[in-house]
Amino acid sequence: MSLALHPTSKAFKANARAALKNETLQRAMGHLGFAQKRLEAVGRLPEFEALRDQARDIKNHTLQHLDFYLEHYEEKLRQSGGEVHWCRTPEEARQAILSICRSVGARTITKGKTMVAEEIALNPFLEANGVAPVETDLGEYIIQLRDEPPSHIIAPAIHVTKEQVADTFLEKHAAYGKTKLLSEPREMLEEARGILREKFLGADVGLTGANFLIAETGSSIIVTNEGNGDLTQLLPRVHIVLATPEKMVPTLEDVSTILRLLARSATGQEFSVYTTVSTGPKRPQDIDGPEQYHVVILDNGRTAMLGTAFQDMLRCIRCSACLNHCPVYNAIGGHAYGWVYPGPMGSVLTPGLIGVDQAGALPNASTFCGKCESVCPMKIPLPGMMRHWREREYEQRLSPPAQRWGLAAWAFAAKRPRLYRLLTGLAARVLGLWGRRHGNMHNLPLAGGWTQFRDFPAPEGKTFHQLWSERGQR
Amino acid sequence: MDNTGKRPRVGLFVTCLVDLIRPTVGFAAVKLLEDAGCIVEVPAAQVCCGQPAYNSGDRADARDVARAVIEAFEGFDYVVAPSGSCAGMIRLHYPELFAEDAAMMPRVHHLANRTHELVSFLVDVMGVKFVAARYDGTITYHDSCSGLREMGVKAQPRALLGTVAGLTIKELPGAETCCGFGGTFCVKYPEISNRMVGDKAKDVAGTGADTLLAGDLGCLMNMAGKFTRDGVDVKVRHVAEVLADMAGDVPPIGRAK
C-alpha cells in the first residue's frame, strides 16, 4: 500500500477519528520512548544548543548556494566514477531507477530505508516492471510483508505490535519453512535476519537513501542501526543512491557537526551504530564495493520552496524529533496524515509537495504548542510555517465555509468595540444565568465541538469591562 | 517600583476570555499589579489581540484588530496581560504580522517590547518576591504552551506560589505537554483535543492535588470543562486568583457557588 499513490490527507479528520478508536494502534503507540531518551542524550552534551545554531547556519548557507554545491558535488562524484541522474518528478526518478536495473538485467533489488522511495511509490512500480524489491531495514521489512506504508520516518513499523509481527512472520515465512509462532522479539529478529541474508547475497542492485550528500568529496552518507545499509550497498554489483537536493552539505566537517545532533535528536543515541560514507564505485585497490554507483537526485517541488516562506523546511534532516514530541502525532500515529511524511514536519512539507488543496488539514491539526520547534535540531520554525499554510488556504478560500463565516462574524464585531461590548455583555449575562446552577453548560448551540467532550464553564455574569466601569474608572 | 526605580504606568490587557468568562482574573491582575507598585489603567478600546484571525490564516483581519490594540496601548510604560498566549501574540507575532508595513513597525516594536505576561512581569520586572495570600490546599501547575515556550514563564509562578500561606505544590508530570486547547483547534479537531485533555486529566488526578492552576484561561476552561464532564474532582483556577488572595471571591472555573 502506497500513500503516495493513494493519498488520504483530505480525509485527515476521519483518519484521526479512526486511529483514536483503533485499540491495537493505541497499544503500539504507547511504547514510543524516544522523547525521554533524547532528553537524556541532550543533557549529556553541554554544547547541544550551540550545535543547533551551527547546524542551522550550515544548512542556511548551503540552501543559499545550493546550485553551486550541487554542481560541485556532481563534478566530484564523476571524478570518482559515479553518475548523477537529475530528476524533476517522481516519474522521472522511477524511470531512471528502472533503466539502471534493466541495463544490468536485475531481477531483485535490496533496499535500505528511504522515505524518498515512498514518495515516488517505487516498490509497486518495480514490482509491476518485473523487479522484486526487498526491504532490508527490519521495520521496513515488516511493513513490506504486511503491505502497509511506514507510519514514522525512522521507525516505520511503530504502529505494529509485537504480536502482529509474530502473526505476519508465521504467515509469510512459511514459504521459507519457518512454521513456528514466535513470541520473543529476539527470535523474530533472528528469523528475519536469516531470510534477509540470502536476499542480500542474491540481489543484483542495492538501493539506499542518503542522509547527506557532501559537495566537497562527492560522497553520500547513510546512518543506520542494523548494518543493513552496508550490506545493501556493498554486496550487489550496482549501488543506487536515491536522494533529494536539500540533503546537500558543503564539507565533511559540516556533516560531522550535524551528525552530532542527528542521532541524539532521533533516538537519543550519541551516534547511530553505522555511519556509512560512500564515494563512487569500487576502485581497483578496494576489497569490495559495487561496480556501478548511481545517484538519483529527485527534486519533486523542493527547489520551488527556495526563496519562499517555506525555505526553512529544506533544512530538515528527518530525525523525527518533531514527530516523537508531538502530542497530535502521538495520539493518532502516522497513517492518519494520509501521505508519506507525518507529524509536524509532514504537516509543513506535504502541502508543499502535493498542494495545500490536498493537504490543508495537516497544518490545521496543530495546537501551535511549539514543542516541535523547541526540539528541532535544525531550529525549523514549524508552527510558523503551518500558519503560513493556513494563510495560503485562507487566501485561496479552501478553508471550510462554516469556519470562514464564523471568523468573519467574529472579526466584524471585534473591529467595533461598542458592538462587541454589547454582544459580550449580553452573552455573559445569558450564559451566566443559564450555567448558574451547575457552573457550566453541558450543551451549547454552535459549540458542539466543545461540548461533545467538555462542559463549557459558565461566565460570571458580567464582563470585566462592565464591572470596571461600574466601579468608576480609576 | 520597577527596576528603573519609578512607579510604572501599566496598561492592563484584559484578554477577551477573561473579559467575557472570568472578570475576577482581571481584578486579581489589577490587585497584584497595584500591590507591586504599578499604576494600572484599563483602556476601554481594547477587544482582543487578534489571535483567532492570525492563527486561522486571516492576516488582514488580524492586522485590523491588532492595530486597534496598538493604538489603545500607546503611551504606557508596560502592557501586561494575565495570559502568556495573548502577551506572546503581541510581543512576538505583532512584529511578524506587520513585517511588510514599514510605517507601523516603530509603533509595533514599541508595544511588543513593553508587553509582558502577568506573573513573569511581577517577578522579573517588578521584582516581587512574595505575595500576601492564603490558600489552604495542594495545587499542581500546568505550564501553558505559549507562556512557557514564547514568554519563558516557568519558575516565576512557582516562586510566588511558594510564598502563599497554607499552599503545597505538587509538580505535574508532563506539565509542559499541551492540554489540547489550541484556540480553534479544540473545536476543529474535538476528538484529538479530547484525547489530549483526557491524558492531562489523568496526569492531574494522579498528582493527588486538589487544585490545578495555570496562567491562561483558554487552557483552564478546556481542562475544567473536561474535569466536570468526567467527574475529576480537582478544582481549576487561574494562578492570579490564588496569588491575589481572591480565590474566595468566586467558585472554581466551571463550578457552581
Side-chain angles (χ1 to χ4, degrees):
Chain A
M1 226 290 283
S2 160
L3 284 172
L5 293 180
H6 308 285
T8 65
S9 299
K10 273 193 160 173
F12 173 83
K13 217 171 162 171
N15 295 348
R17 209 176 289 136
L20 287 163
K21 286 188 184 147
N22 182 336
E23 285 174 21
T24 316
L25 172 69
Q26 293 299 329
R27 209 165 50 240
M29 294 296 294
H31 299 296
L32 204 64
F34 291 145
Q36 181 59 29
K37 288 185 180 135
R38 174 198 173 273
L39 190 67
E40 289 161 14
V42 169
R44 290 191 295 266
L45 189 72
E47 65 268 39
F48 189 82
E49 284 306 308
L51 282 170
R52 287 176 76 198
D53 288 336
Q54 284 179 33
R56 176 201 55 205
D57 294 348
I58 288 168
K59 273 283 186 182
N60 279 349
H61 166 86
T62 315
L63 292 171
Q64 224 159 13
H65 306 282
L66 191 58
D67 51 346
F68 169 80
Y69 287 117
L70 285 168
E71 284 175 8
H72 193 83
Y73 169 83
E74 183 178 25
E75 193 187 317
K76 295 306 279 185
L77 182 61
R78 276 220 191 100
Q79 286 168 14
S80 52
E83 194 182 338
V84 176
H85 307 258
W86 301 103
C87 302
R88 267 166 305 200
T89 62
E91 178 57 16
E92 286 180 20
R94 287 190 293 260
Q95 291 298 342
I97 292 166
L98 182 63
S99 77
I100 297 166
C101 289
R102 286 201 167 142
S103 72
V104 295
R107 304 277 299 277
T108 66
I109 175 168
T110 41
K111 285 179 69 205
K113 219 191 105 45
T114 148
M115 292 305 292
V116 182
E118 293 297 323
E119 193 178 322
I120 66 173
L122 184 60
N123 287 2
F125 173 78
L126 289 176
E127 276 164 21
N129 285 280
V131 181
V134 180
E135 296 290 350
T136 64
D137 170 275
L138 183 62
E140 288 285 356
Y141 176 73
I142 291 166
I143 59 171
Q144 186 183 25
L145 292 183
R146 295 172 60 81
D147 193 24
E148 288 172 348
S151 69
H152 187 283
I153 60 174
I154 69 162
I158 196 81
H159 60 282
V160 186
T161 63
K162 189 176 74 175
E163 292 73 25
Q164 287 177 308
V165 175
D167 291 343
T168 301
F169 280 9
L170 185 66
E171 183 195 337
K172 303 285 181 177
H173 286 174
Y176 304 96
K178 309 280 182 191
T179 51
K180 192 178 155 218
L181 179 66
L182 306 174
S183 57
E184 288 305 311
R186 188 81 230 167
E187 298 174 315
M188 298 180 210
L189 176 67
E190 292 301 334
E191 188 171 290
R193 175 178 281 165
I195 289 165
L196 280 172
R197 191 58 51 136
E198 294 305 311
K199 307 271 186 191
F200 281 125
L201 293 168
D204 306 299
V205 173
L207 182 136
T208 64
N211 291 89
F212 302 96
L213 302 174
I214 303 159
E216 177 186 37
T217 56
S219 311
S220 68
I221 289 194
I222 55 167
V223 298
T224 67
N225 280 326
E226 298 170 17
N228 62 306
D230 294 63
L231 294 173
T232 299
Q233 68 182 50
L234 286 175
L235 295 178
R237 284 189 294 144
V238 179
H239 178 198
I240 302 174
V241 176
L242 176 56
T244 49
E246 86 284 6
K247 304 278 178 182
M248 189 62 63
V249 286
T251 65
L252 279 167
E253 185 71 32
D254 293 327
V255 87
S256 53
T257 300
I258 302 177
L259 280 171
R260 297 187 70 200
L261 292 164
L262 176 57
R264 287 183 170 90
S265 300
T267 55
Q269 291 166 284
E270 255 74 40
F271 235 66
S272 302
V273 179
Y274 297 87
T275 299
T276 311
V277 184
S278 56
T279 314
K282 181 177 183 299
R283 295 165 302 181
Q285 69 270 30
D286 290 336
I287 300 164
D288 50 19
E291 292 161 23
Q292 291 181 32
Y293 181 82
H294 299 269
V295 180
V296 174
I297 300 184
L298 168 75
D299 185 22
N300 199 21
R302 285 169 175 78
T303 53
M305 290 165 77
L306 288 168
T308 72
F310 303 102
Q311 174 169 321
D312 289 345
M313 190 60 221
L314 299 175
R315 290 205 298 268
C316 178
I317 56 173
R318 307 289 189 270
C319 71
S320 80
C322 61
L323 281 67
N324 301 339
H325 290 79
C326 177
V328 174
Y329 175 87
N330 273 276
I332 62 176
H335 290 160
Y337 290 80
W339 204 64
V340 178
Y341 301 99
M345 58 79 57
S347 297
V348 176
L349 189 60
T350 306
L353 300 188
I354 68 170
V356 71
D357 55 326
Q358 287 288 321
L362 273 45
N364 276 285
S366 164
T367 62
F368 286 162
C369 80
K371 186 73 187 172
C372 51
E373 183 175 357
S374 76
V375 296
C376 174
M378 307 306 289
K379 292 200 156 179
I380 299 170
L382 292 157
M385 285 190 290
M386 288 184 219
R387 190 183 292 109
H388 283 316
W389 281 125
R390 296 185 192 184
E391 285 164 6
R392 298 284 196 283
E393 196 186 32
Y394 184 83
E395 284 160 13
Q396 296 171 33
R397 302 187 163 272
L398 294 168
S399 33
Q403 195 182 312
R404 301 181 67 85
W405 295 333
L407 189 64
W410 170 85
F412 184 85
K415 287 190 237 177
R416 291 162 180 81
R418 288 177 64 185
L419 172 67
Y420 184 87
R421 295 262 175 275
L422 192 75
L423 293 173
T424 49
L426 201 66
R429 190 173 155 75
V430 170
L431 296 178
L433 281 171
W434 185 358
R436 193 163 59 176
R437 202 150 72 96
H438 299 290
N440 60 64
M441 284 143 284
H442 217 69
N443 287 299
L444 202 57
L446 301 173
W450 182 286
T451 54
Q452 190 181 352
F453 298 110
R454 290 157 288 225
D455 297 328
F456 192 88
E460 289 179 27
K462 282 187 176 178
T463 69
F464 178 86
H465 287 285
Q466 283 174 330
L467 293 166
W468 184 254
S469 55
E470 281 171 18
R471 286 191 182 192
Q473 287 175 17
R474 284 179 282 175
Chain B
M1 282 188 280
D2 70 356
N3 37 29
T4 62
K6 63 177 174 63
R7 280 191 77 188
R9 240 182 98 231
V10 170
L12 180 70
F13 187 78
V14 178
T15 81
C16 55
L17 283 181
V18 166
D19 178 47
L20 178 65
I21 306 287
R22 203 147 171 99
T24 300
V25 175
F27 288 103
V30 171
K31 177 173 186 296
L32 288 165
L33 289 166
E34 287 181 345
D35 287 353
C38 304
I39 302 160
V40 182
E41 292 177 36
V42 183
Q46 61 177 301
V47 170
C48 165
C49 66
Q51 215 175 148
Y54 182 59
N55 285 346
S56 301
D58 176 4
R59 283 176 80 91
D61 281 325
R63 255 196 302 268
D64 287 347
V65 174
R67 201 172 281 114
V69 174
I70 293 163
E71 277 162 18
F73 284 91
E74 230 141 32
F76 288 102
D77 295 320
Y78 300 102
V79 174
V80 173
S83 156
S85 177
C86 311
M89 174 70 190
I90 297 173
R91 194 175 180 100
L92 299 173
H93 297 288
Y94 276 16
E96 203 272 324
L97 191 55
F98 289 95
E100 295 109 55
D101 190 343
M104 273 299 281
M105 275 318 258
R107 296 169 74 190
V108 171
H109 276 298
H110 190 56
L111 174 64
N113 295 337
R114 290 174 297 135
T115 299
H116 296 267
E117 180 278 334
L118 172 68
V119 183
S120 54
F121 175 78
L122 292 172
V123 173
D124 299 341
V125 179
M126 298 305 295
V128 174
K129 300 252 182 318
F130 58 89
V131 290
R134 175 162 200 99
Y135 188 84
D136 289 304
T138 301
I139 70 99
T140 194
Y141 194 88
H142 165 73
D143 296 292
S144 289
C145 300
S146 303
L148 174 72
R149 281 182 271 272
E150 294 189 337
M151 303 299 284
V153 182
K154 177 79 188 178
Q156 305 91 334
R158 288 168 176 80
L160 292 188
L161 285 168
T163 69
V164 173
L167 182 148
T168 309
I169 304 178
K170 270 202 179 169
E171 280 300 334
L172 172 64
E176 297 187 359
T177 302
C178 180
C179 72
F181 172 62
T184 54
F185 172 87
C186 69
V187 288
K188 279 195 291 188
Y189 299 99
E191 292 87 1
I192 305 174
S193 174
N194 176 50
R195 165 67 182 280
M196 291 163 70
V197 73
D199 288 349
K200 183 61 73 178
K202 279 180 213 137
D203 286 343
V204 170
T207 64
D210 56 59
T211 306
L212 170 72
L213 302 179
D216 259 276
L217 193 53
C219 318
L220 288 162
M221 289 172 65
N222 180 42
M223 294 184 285
K226 181 68 177 167
F227 290 4
T228 56
R229 176 66 58 92
D230 287 5
V232 176
D233 188 20
V234 176
K235 292 173 274 201
V236 178
R237 289 184 179 278
H238 193 285
V239 63
E241 299 168 24
V242 171
L243 294 178
D245 206 20
M246 289 166 71
D249 297 6
V250 276
I253 297 167
R255 301 272 193 104
K257 281 205 176 89

